[in-house]
Amino acid sequence: MSAAYHSLAEKHREIALIQSTSSILDWDQETNLPRKALNYRAEQLSYLSGKIHQLSTSADYQKSLETAENAGAADTLQKANLREWRHQFDRSQKLSQNLVERDSKTCTLAKSAWIEARKQADFSLFAPHLSKLLELSKEKAQRWGYQDEAYDALLDNYERGAKTKDIVRIFSQYEPELEQLASAAVAKSQHSAARSLKGSFPIASQIKLNQQIAESIGFDFDAGRIDTTTHPFCTTLGPQDIRLTTRYDETDFTSSLFGVMHEMGHGLYEQGLRSSDFGLPSGTAVSLGIHESQSLLWEAHVGRSPSFWKHWLPCAQELFPQLQDWSLEEFLNTINQARYSYIRVDADEATYDLHIMLRFDIERRLLNNELKVDDVPAAWNERFEKLFGMQPESDAQGCLQDIHWAMGGLGYFPTYTLGNLNASQLFHAATQKPEIQKAFNEANFSPLLDWMKTHIHSLGSVYLPQDLMLQATGEATTSAYHLAHLKQRYL
Amino acid sequence: MSAAYHSLAEKHREIALIQSTSSILDWDQETNLPRKALNYRAEQLSYLSGKIHQLSTSADYQKSLETAENAGAADTLQKANLREWRHQFDRSQKLSQNLVERDSKTCTLAKSAWIEARKQADFSLFAPHLSKLLELSKEKAQRWGYQDEAYDALLDNYERGAKTKDIVRIFSQYEPELEQLASAAVAKSQHSAARSLKGSFPIASQIKLNQQIAESIGFDFDAGRIDTTTHPFCTTLGPQDIRLTTRYDETDFTSSLFGVMHEMGHGLYEQGLRSSDFGLPSGTAVSLGIHESQSLLWEAHVGRSPSFWKHWLPCAQELFPQLQDWSLEEFLNTINQARYSYIRVDADEATYDLHIMLRFDIERRLLNNELKVDDVPAAWNERFEKLFGMQPESDAQGCLQDIHWAMGGLGYFPTYTLGNLNASQLFHAATQKPEIQKAFNEANFSPLLDWMKTHIHSLGSVYLPQDLMLQATGEATTSAYHLAHLKQRYL
């Protein structure tokens, strides 16, 4: 290792120490913070992010980066790290201090306006903020630069190396088939009378079941934990400290359970990263589309499968005696119902990606000046009607439902669909191995987890997402495997 | 305010941001940290403490301090802050980097040796470490300087401005009277058959009772919380974020309750500090002897008093039906028993300070070269026999019971007794006001808390501890009020 590379890596380890400290403060804010402590916590966080900004954009940093690049990389890992550091540094250099501050201020105001607008179901309260955020997104895209369209530059924030034209290509193959499939799945669910799971499920028993399941799958509780928050999330507070959260609904134990399965998928990815490279790209998850593939793999492919419940339904029945007369088939039928719904986060597997396509289309038209902000609700409702055969009763159920735009996150949504497609494609590739498939019969998912560790987790950001998919599955992301999965599950 | 003072104060606010961030990491380590996360957490903490050290000892800091001193103080608060900053800076300058590092390393090794020695009840495993710690303490004392004896220099770490001769004077008046009183109290308790409280007390109900009591006394749960740890403590994570912890014993609800009362006393002090001066001496607690007075005031003077239990015993009886046939008198008799015991932390009010006198005497003789480390167990047991009329069966019950020496904390112990004496003296002074006394009849302790806020909490470190006592009570710390309190409680 060159001294120059070593010194640059040390700078990044220092940044990671501050970044992970900041994550501890964030986690504590979500789980524990007393109400009046919020202001000082914001000061602590802002102090730490100032330090990170300083360390990662200084002239001294730039010099270290150049020196390390000139010294050259000794191996694949170093090469990948230098590639990612250069990429991050160039992008951060292209934004002026002034733009970053305007952006942060606009987001803060937009977020509280969005909360109010959603509460009152009044888009006009949010529209001026969305206009400003759109202008800022365009400005950022111009500064970052792109080949085909502005959306490319934003997408790269979340899905390293992805291009809009690739998303368009994938979506245009996927959408007509998905529309048909969703329609058939919803019709089928309507005709099969599903038993209701609603009942009384003591939270202590839910916690016990979730813990048993997470442990059995391989989440390491010596290097992580599960807590309770309003919105479930997964965060990394150190190389061996991965925290999941979920929320509990006393009337439905599957709500917290699928929350845990989802966040645990993220957590297993984080626990599977090369911990000696914590804070370096080679020890960091590569993209949202890959991250989401891991959460969906465990939530949907494992957590909603017959082999999983063949083992776990009897355990649930012991903890929740009211389930004792449920057959496995009845239970699977109930948890795998398809129906059209207004809210993305409540959607099932069969209809989820329709929600994403609608959003991707609107975002792209906004950025390409083909749609005005004031016309967003009408465009939303028209498209919704076409996809779902119904219209939201208000914008709170429609274009105001998600926080992403209010946080300046244009370009984020497509990664959810990439996650769905990647999950199915990876699951298909892994289950080509007979021993992985066979272990499912004993509800043993360790061979599946090992495969993910080898082909995804341990590789960090060494390869760009599409190269990673290619190496792991032999193909770039395609919708074929997800469509096949949905067909098998719903039809 | 002079620009120089302002700039120095800003430096201290920055240090406080890092210090409080570090406290969040410490708190999380005690309450939540997964086992394998310990190493990286240590790296995060060490990084932050390095930053604090750098900011508070740099040439730049020294220059700011001198400039501010030359510009002069505009008022009492500024004057006090400049006094404390100078004191801290001078003390830190007197220790070489080399000494600080040796000290930290020796403590780390001594702590694990102490754990093992206590487990095996074998003082010889700890003795070589204690010898090194003693040499380091002597070296620090020499560097810091003192008038009368080395102990002075160490004591000042914990009790700003205190001198050994003052402790000796107070203790020599206090000890003979306390020995007599303890002996009488123990004899009386032996003859009054106390009912046993042991039973089954569900933890959820204990949490509820503790919370109700803390809230009723005035602990602000919007600016604090109570969690569970092995060793109870109180820590400050920000000006409005005070965290208490306690431990639960399912067979005895008073264990967690008195733990909460004690830590809440610390917490009320912290919540009562001038929050706009967070991180400055004027917004910081002044000493351990004053801090401990606040915890003991609420635990012992309020929490073990008839007026408190007249109100709270019925509430406890509702939550714990097995208490229903207990009379107030029976209950008070049970929670206020005196008995000789080996372990300091289990001691009652009547015998507690005997444990401290023994330790103070041994520490002082070690520092004055009147006692060898190898002779500590014999000296301990001899003195213990004289004070308590019995001998520990092993050193685990004797000179190996406390962690303080293993952490290099020589000079710490006397502050516990100062805390006891200050608590009684402050309680006596406050209850001279008839309205404070009268409110006790309705279990209303708000006027008492208000008095403490005015005379202690809000003054931070503006006055040295003994000046603070003088202003609040008209006298420096004396044992008279505590002896009177013990007589009333036990005889």
Side-chain angles (χ1 to χ4, degrees):
Chain A
M1 192 188 304
S2 77
Y5 176 86
H6 181 73
S7 142
L8 184 60
E10 282 311 301
K11 279 191 208 306
H12 278 281
R13 290 188 201 276
E14 180 178 352
I15 293 169
L17 273 171
I18 310 176
Q19 184 58 61
S20 57
T21 295
S22 180
S23 299
I24 298 167
L25 272 53
D26 269 326
W27 176 88
D28 180 77
Q29 179 170 333
E30 295 300 321
T31 52
N32 295 311
L33 200 71
R35 190 176 59 79
K36 292 181 185 169
L38 197 61
N39 284 343
Y40 196 74
R41 181 58 52 92
E43 275 189 56
Q44 291 166 322
L45 283 167
S46 139
Y47 177 76
L48 295 176
S49 67
K51 288 288 156 204
I52 293 169
H53 179 79
Q54 206 176 305
L55 286 170
S56 57
T57 58
S58 66
D60 176 55
Y61 177 85
Q62 181 167 17
K63 211 180 134 195
S64 290
L65 178 58
E66 282 161 7
T67 315
E69 284 171 333
N70 291 335
D75 58 28
T76 320
L77 291 196
Q78 289 193 15
K79 201 174 147 193
N81 287 341
L82 286 170
R83 178 196 73 213
E84 291 306 301
W85 288 331
R86 167 56 65 189
H87 183 73
Q88 289 157 11
F89 182 74
D90 284 351
R91 276 175 77 90
S92 70
Q93 286 302 100
K94 285 177 183 166
L95 303 187
S96 65
Q97 181 70 19
N98 173 283
L99 175 56
V100 171
E101 282 167 14
R102 269 186 298 142
D103 197 41
S104 152
K105 204 170 149 188
T106 308
C107 285
T108 306
L109 296 175
K111 197 178 151 189
S112 54
W114 167 74
I115 290 170
E116 196 53 35
R118 190 169 76 152
K119 198 159 59 176
Q120 297 193 26
D122 182 352
F123 182 76
S124 73
L125 296 175
F126 181 54
H129 297 274
L130 184 54
S131 295
K132 278 189 204 157
L133 288 166
L134 180 63
E135 288 316 306
L136 280 163
S137 291
K138 286 179 188 168
E139 191 178 338
K140 283 189 281 184
Q142 290 305 326
R143 285 172 177 264
W144 281 328
Y146 52 83
Q147 263 189 304
D148 299 325
E149 55 181 285
Y151 201 87
D152 285 350
L154 303 180
L155 184 60
D156 194 86
N157 272 341
Y158 310 104
E159 196 63 24
R160 183 73 177 90
K163 297 279 173 267
T164 314
K165 66 177 178 203
D166 301 319
I167 307 286
V168 170
R169 181 178 42 77
I170 294 169
F171 280 23
S172 62
Q173 287 170 345
Y174 182 29
E175 183 169 345
E177 295 212 48
L178 180 64
E179 275 186 57
Q180 245 186 331
L181 191 151
S183 164
V186 169
K188 194 181 164 210
S189 290
Q190 272 171 343
H191 290 99
S192 78
R195 259 180 96 171
S196 167
L197 258 174
K198 293 275 166 191
S200 169
F201 300 91
I203 289 173
S205 304
Q206 292 191 41
I207 290 176
K208 202 170 161 187
L209 181 65
N210 296 346
Q211 176 114 5
Q212 280 174 359
I213 290 175
E215 218 165 82
S216 116
I217 283 175
F219 183 76
D220 182 355
F221 280 94
D222 284 333
R225 39 184 292 132
I226 304 180
D227 295 275
T228 309
T229 50
T230 319
H231 301 286
F233 64 88
C234 168
T235 182
T236 294
L237 311 190
Q240 309 252 49
D241 192 357
I242 315 299
R243 313 258 175 123
L244 320 178
T245 73
T246 192
R247 61 180 152 214
Y248 294 91
D249 175 351
E250 281 211 77
T251 71
D252 179 4
F253 81 101
T254 63
S255 160
S256 75
L257 173 58
F258 288 123
V260 164
M261 291 295 285
H262 185 96
E263 302 308 332
M264 183 195 65
H266 289 304
L268 290 170
Y269 187 4
E270 295 287 318
Q271 287 188 339
L273 291 164
R274 186 189 294 265
S275 70
S276 56
D277 284 6
F278 184 76
L280 314 185
S282 49
T284 305
V286 68
S287 78
L288 294 188
I290 299 296
H291 230 309
E292 196 69 10
S293 80
Q294 297 305 295
S295 57
L296 293 165
L297 182 100
W298 295 100
E299 178 194 356
H301 291 266
V302 173
R304 295 181 181 275
S305 71
S307 50
F308 180 83
W309 285 106
K310 201 178 126 198
H311 177 80
W312 288 106
L313 182 58
C315 303
Q317 284 167 327
E318 261 182 50
L319 286 163
F320 310 117
Q322 71 263 41
L323 297 178
Q324 243 138 34
D325 70 333
W326 280 68
S327 72
L328 178 60
E329 203 183 345
E330 267 178 324
F331 185 79
L332 289 166
N333 182 38
T334 291
I335 63 168
N336 288 320
Q337 288 284 303
R339 62 181 186 88
Y340 289 131
S341 60
Y342 297 116
I343 305 297
R344 176 183 59 84
V345 296
D346 296 339
D348 47 70
E349 288 183 85
T351 57
Y352 188 92
D353 286 328
L354 298 175
H355 292 271
I356 300 303
M357 287 157 177
L358 181 158
R359 286 156 178 77
F360 171 61
D361 183 50
I362 287 180
E363 287 186 343
R364 212 175 148 219
R365 284 162 64 199
L366 282 170
L367 278 162
N368 290 342
N369 303 311
E370 295 161 14
L371 178 68
K372 286 186 193 144
V373 163
D374 287 342
D375 298 331
V376 164
W380 182 288
N381 294 346
E382 190 194 327
R383 186 75 195 280
F384 200 88
E385 170 84 51
K386 190 177 160 292
L387 290 167
F388 295 81
M390 57 192 197
Q391 283 214 9
E393 281 167 35
S394 79
D395 291 339
Q397 283 188 333
C399 63
L400 284 173
Q401 69 182 266
D402 295 306
I403 198 175
H404 301 61
W405 292 342
M407 295 176 74
L410 276 88
Y412 187 123
F413 281 120
T415 66
Y416 288 116
T417 291
L418 290 177
N420 269 318
L421 307 187
N422 292 338
S424 290
Q425 193 165 329
L426 290 165
F427 188 77
H428 177 267
T431 50
Q432 295 311 295
K433 300 247 170 204
E435 64 273 24
I436 291 181
Q437 191 76 259
K438 205 178 142 207
F440 289 175
N441 296 330
E442 282 90 49
N444 174 7
F445 302 99
S446 300
L448 177 64
L449 177 56
D450 288 340
W451 192 95
M452 292 299 154
K453 277 187 190 160
T454 308
H455 293 86
I456 303 291
H457 306 176
S458 64
L459 300 173
S461 299
V462 173
Y463 306 102
L464 293 189
Q466 285 307 306
D467 294 333
L468 190 65
M469 288 300 293
L470 198 62
Q471 286 188 46
T473 71
E475 295 174 74
T477 301
T478 151
S479 58
Y481 301 99
H482 193 53
L483 283 164
H485 159 70
L486 294 178
K487 257 175 219 153
Q488 205 204 343
R489 176 146 294 169
Y490 288 98
L491 305 177
Chain B
M1 191 190 301
S2 78
Y5 176 86
H6 181 73
S7 142
L8 184 60
E10 283 310 301
K11 278 192 209 305
H12 278 282
R13 288 187 203 276
E14 180 177 352
I15 293 169
L17 273 171
I18 310 177
Q19 184 57 62
S20 57
T21 294
S22 180
S23 300
I24 298 167
L25 271 54
D26 269 326
W27 176 88
D28 180 78
Q29 179 170 333
E30 294 301 322
T31 51
N32 295 310
L33 199 70
R35 191 176 59 80
K36 292 181 185 168
L38 198 61
N39 284 343
Y40 196 74
R41 181 58 52 92
E43 276 189 56
Q44 292 166 322
L45 283 166
S46 140
Y47 178 77
L48 294 176
S49 67
K51 289 287 154 201
I52 293 169
H53 179 78
Q54 203 176 310
L55 285 170
S56 57
T57 57
S58 65
D60 175 55
Y61 177 85
Q62 182 167 18
K63 212 180 133 192
S64 289
L65 179 57
E66 282 162 7
T67 315
E69 284 171 333
N70 291 335
D75 58 28
T76 320
L77 292 197
Q78 289 193 15
K79 201 174 146 192
N81 288 341
L82 286 170
R83 179 196 74 214
E84 291 305 303
W85 288 331
R86 166 55 66 189
H87 183 73
Q88 290 157 11
F89 182 74
D90 284 351
R91 275 176 78 89
S92 70
Q93 287 302 98
K94 285 177 183 164
L95 303 187
S96 64
Q97 181 70 20
N98 174 285
L99 175 55
V100 172
E101 282 167 14
R102 268 186 298 143
D103 197 41
S104 153
K105 205 171 148 187
T106 309
C107 285
T108 305
L109 295 175
K111 198 179 150 189
S112 54
W114 167 75
I115 290 170
E116 196 53 33
R118 190 169 76 153
K119 197 158 60 174
Q120 297 193 27
D122 182 352
F123 182 76
S124 73
L125 296 177
F126 181 54
H129 297 274
L130 184 54
S131 296
K132 279 188 202 156
L133 287 166
L134 180 62
E135 288 316 305
L136 280 164
S137 291
K138 287 179 187 167
E139 191 179 339
K140 284 189 282 183
Q142 290 307 325
R143 285 171 178 265
W144 281 328
Y146 51 84
Q147 263 190 306
D148 300 324
E149 55 183 284
Y151 201 86
D152 285 349
L154 304 180
L155 185 59
D156 193 86
N157 273 340
Y158 310 103
E159 196 62 25
R160 184 72 178 91
K163 297 277 172 266
T164 314
K165 66 176 178 205
D166 301 319
I167 307 286
V168 170
R169 181 178 42 75
I170 295 169
F171 280 23
S172 62
Q173 287 170 346
Y174 181 29
E175 183 167 346
E177 296 212 47
L178 180 64
E179 277 187 56
Q180 246 186 335
L181 191 150
S183 163
V186 169
K188 193 180 164 211
S189 289
Q190 272 171 342
H191 291 100
S192 78
R195 258 182 96 171
S196 167
L197 258 174
K198 293 275 168 191
S200 170
F201 300 91
I203 289 173
S205 304
Q206 293 191 41
I207 290 175
K208 202 170 160 186
L209 181 65
N210 296 346
Q211 176 113 7
Q212 280 174 1
I213 291 175
E215 218 166 83
S216 117
I217 283 175
F219 183 76
D220 182 354
F221 280 93
D222 284 332
R225 42 183 291 134
I226 305 178
D227 295 275
T228 309
T229 50
T230 318
H231 301 286
F233 64 88
C234 168
T235 182
T236 293
L237 311 191
Q240 309 253 49
D241 192 358
I242 315 300
R243 312 257 176 125
L244 320 178
T245 73
T246 192
R247 61 180 151 214
Y248 294 91
D249 175 351
E250 281 211 79
T251 72
D252 180 3
F253 81 102
T254 64
S255 161
S256 74
L257 173 58
F258 288 124
V260 164
M261 292 295 285
H262 185 95
E263 301 308 332
M264 184 195 65
H266 289 304
L268 290 170
Y269 187 4
E270 295 287 319
Q271 287 188 339
L273 292 164
R274 187 188 294 266
S275 69
S276 56
D277 284 7
F278 184 76
L280 314 185
S282 50
T284 305
V286 69
S287 78
L288 293 189
I290 298 296
H291 230 310
E292 196 69 9
S293 80
Q294 297 305 295
S295 56
L296 293 165
L297 182 99
W298 295 100
E299 178 193 356
H301 292 266
V302 173
R304 296 181 181 276
S305 72
S307 50
F308 179 84
W309 285 105
K310 201 177 127 200
H311 176 79
W312 287 107
L313 183 57
C315 302
Q317 285 167 327
E318 261 181 52
L319 286 163
F320 310 118
Q322 71 262 42
L323 297 177
Q324 243 139 34
D325 69 333
W326 280 68
S327 72
L328 178 60
E329 203 183 345
E330 267 178 325
F331 185 81
L332 289 167
N333 183 38
T334 291
I335 63 168
N336 289 320
Q337 289 283 304
R339 63 180 187 89
Y340 290 131
S341 60
Y342 297 114
I343 305 297
R344 176 184 58 84
V345 297
D346 296 339
D348 48 71
E349 288 182 86
T351 57
Y352 188 92
D353 286 328
L354 298 175
H355 292 271
I356 300 302
M357 287 157 176
L358 181 158
R359 286 156 179 78
F360 171 62
D361 184 51
I362 287 181
E363 287 187 343
R364 209 173 148 221
R365 283 162 65 199
L366 283 171
L367 277 162
N368 291 342
N369 303 313
E370 295 161 14
L371 178 68
K372 286 185 194 144
V373 164
D374 287 343
D375 298 332
V376 164
W380 182 289
N381 294 346
E382 190 193 326
R383 186 77 195 281
F384 200 89
E385 170 85 51
K386 190 176 161 294
L387 289 168
F388 295 82
M390 58 194 195
Q391 282 214 10
E393 281 166 35
S394 78
D395 291 338
Q397 282 187 334
C399 64
L400 285 173
Q401 68 183 266
D402 296 307
I403 197 174
H404 301 61
W405 293 342
M407 296 176 74
L410 275 89
Y412 187 123
F413 282 120
T415 66
Y416 288 116
T417 290
L418 290 178
N420 269 319
L421 306 187
N422 292 338
S424 290
Q425 193 165 329
L426 290 166
F427 187 78
H428 177 266
T431 50
Q432 295 310 295
K433 300 249 169 199
E435 64 273 24
I436 290 180
Q437 191 77 256
K438 206 177 142 207
F440 289 174
N441 296 330
E442 282 89 48
N444 173 8
F445 303 98
S446 299
L448 177 65
L449 178 57
D450 287 341
W451 192 94
M452 292 299 155
K453 277 186 193 162
T454 307
H455 293 86
I456 303 291
H457 307 177
S458 64
L459 299 173
S461 299
V462 173
Y463 306 103
L464 294 189
Q466 284 308 307
D467 294 333
L468 190 65
M469 287 301 293
L470 199 62
Q471 286 188 44
T473 71
E475 294 175 75
T477 301
T478 150
S479 58
Y481 301 99
H482 192 54
L483 283 164
H485 159 71
L486 293 178
K487 257 174 221 155
Q488 205 203 347
R489 176 146 294 169
Y490 288 98
L491 305 175

